Amino acid sequence: VHIPDPFKCKSGPVDLVFLIDSSRSVRPHEFETMRKFMIDILNTLDIGPNATRVGVVQYSSQVRSEFSLKTHSTLDTMVKSINQIIPLAQGTMTGLAIRYVMNVAFSAEEGDRPKIPNVAVIVTDGRPQDRVAEVAAEAREKGIEIYAVGVARADMTSLRAMASLPFEDHVFLVESFDLIHQFGLQFQDKLCGVDLCSESDHGCEHICESSPGSFHCLCLPGYTLNADGKTCAAIDLCSEGKHHCEQICISSPGSFSCDCNKGYKLNDDKKTCSMIDYCSFGNHSCDHRCVSVLSGFHCRCNEGYRLLADGKTCRDVDMCSTVEHGCEHQCVSTPGSYYCICPDGNLLQEDGKSCGTCRSANIDLVLLIDGSKSVRPQNFELVKKFVNQVVDSLDVSAHGTRVGLVQYSSRVRTEFPLNMYHSADEIKAAVMKVAYMEKGTMTGLALKHMLENSFSEAEGARPLGRNIPRIGLVFTDGRSQDDITEYAKRAKEAGITMYAVGVGKAVEDELREIASEPVEKHFYYTTDFSAINTIAENLKLNVCPEESQGEIEVKDPCACENLVEFQQATMSRMAARLEQLENQLLSRK
């Protein structure tokens, strides 16, 4: 609403200083109201170096001049400076601030003019932490007219101690920062005359703000002026979607707060929600695992256990009685699983369920073949065929028998380690490609290499704990050029079952020293290379005596009982369990 009057207030020149309380109890939006209050008053005044000069000082525990009486000569630069003020946010040293205004702000150096009225407007929200009465009296005696505007928690006694007389014109106590415009209107009225808000039926629902010769309506913070220019409507930020709440938005005029659904709690950012983890309180008393849900928690059991009716206790499930286990002899339950065992004297087979007198050639076999020059190239080919005949009699696979080959002469060379090939065909093809060394005969060195390298886990020997028999077979045609005693003994002490095969000029004593007990079953000799295929047959026949008696033709080495010797005695039940677990793991892959 405008009543035509193009002129600003011409009340005559004034030197005006605002003293603004920016203590920590003044909230940011309240400080913004102070800022607006100053700007609104400035808009009604005739600003200029020869008209009204204005300075602004803010204070809390210290005093800071934002600009002095001589700083700005135009309204625009003054408003810009006011908008850049940053609150100090400390204590409330009002007395200190009044002394600063009296001694510094209203000084000639700061732009104070002689014989021009000095007006100080103090806006504060609290009780001063220092003495104000004496310094305010001193300022008034110097001719400074003091207006005291108290907001919310301000103390009327302190305000009257600061202000000039008469108090009804100079002291204002309002309930909130939203109402300090009332003082602005009265102050404008003092300087400018007619107040249309108080002297006309303005019709503003919330706030009427006078300006020279006119007025307009304003709304309290959180409300917006309707199109009629008079009534106000609350701003609902929730319904307008101007919020950042993850779950629930609670609206208040011009503001909002966030909340969460049941079973969730508000995070520190006051926006997002997290599910309440009831398990983390430590009072759930679950036997195994606690699972948090919206309404609380429930208990779960580890695999192989079931939850009892109390909802907390877990009992292991007897897998043997609840699944088709297929064990030939006996099933043993473990939490979440089971395994089969066999009667004494029997071994668990590869399927982990059936029992037999031996396992199907489940061994780690390393062959040491003599590549010395006395063997001759054509005989070396026969040696390779001998090796392949031995391989044919075995059940080769990654989980059954593994075969490694080492050739030695003056030096030792691994032709292939235990973990290189997983089928008989691959091994036989690799054997036929082996190149003949044709040097000396260092059998002791070869035994050392077998013990330290060939039967290492790095080269494919399975861990000792699994009780997979380790078999070493040494083939030689002559006397060793180095000592074999130490490493022949150490190999047997390490649990390796040693077989010795000699041809031609091989020394029987050396072969017997290499061979395991009983020596007769682990030591073979022939004078002629062309007869070593017979040794391969005999080696097999000695393992399976039924075949030598001509009763049955044994293709599966597991059908004979004497292979137990070849495999270094019956394995323990735990070894069988370990092997079965490995098979289960491999089958899952």
Side-chain angles (χ1 to χ4, degrees), residues 247 263-265 267 273-278 291-294 296:
Q247 292 186 357
Y264 292 83
K265 64 177 190 297
N267 294 329
C273 300
S274 297
M275 197 168 97
I276 297 167
D277 183 4
Y278 294 97
V291 181
S292 220
V293 292
L294 280 181

Side-chain angles (χ1 to χ4, degrees), residues 114-159:
K115 299 181 183 176
I116 300 291
N118 287 351
V119 177
V121 179
I122 303 171
V123 186
T124 178
D125 85 320
R127 301 159 190 268
Q129 293 173 327
D130 57 356
R131 297 168 68 86
V132 294
E134 291 165 12
V135 67
E138 202 178 323
R140 291 194 301 270
E141 281 167 24
K142 284 196 169 185
I144 299 169
E145 186 176 3
I146 300 176
Y147 290 83
V149 183
V151 181
R153 301 165 290 283
D155 172 34
M156 180 58 86
T157 308
S158 297
L159 297 178

Side-chain angles (χ1 to χ4, degrees), residues 199-243:
E199 296 183 21
S200 68
D201 185 12
H202 55 76
C204 296
E205 185 182 350
H206 283 184
I207 301 164
C208 173
E209 185 169 84
S210 278
S211 53
S214 75
F215 71 90
H216 58 273
C217 300
L218 298 173
C219 295
L220 296 172
Y223 293 83
T224 181
L225 197 64
N226 291 327
D228 62 9
K230 295 188 176 185
T231 57
C232 297
I235 299 166
D236 185 352
L237 293 176
C238 290
S239 66
E240 291 177 15
K242 293 178 180 172
H243 66 88

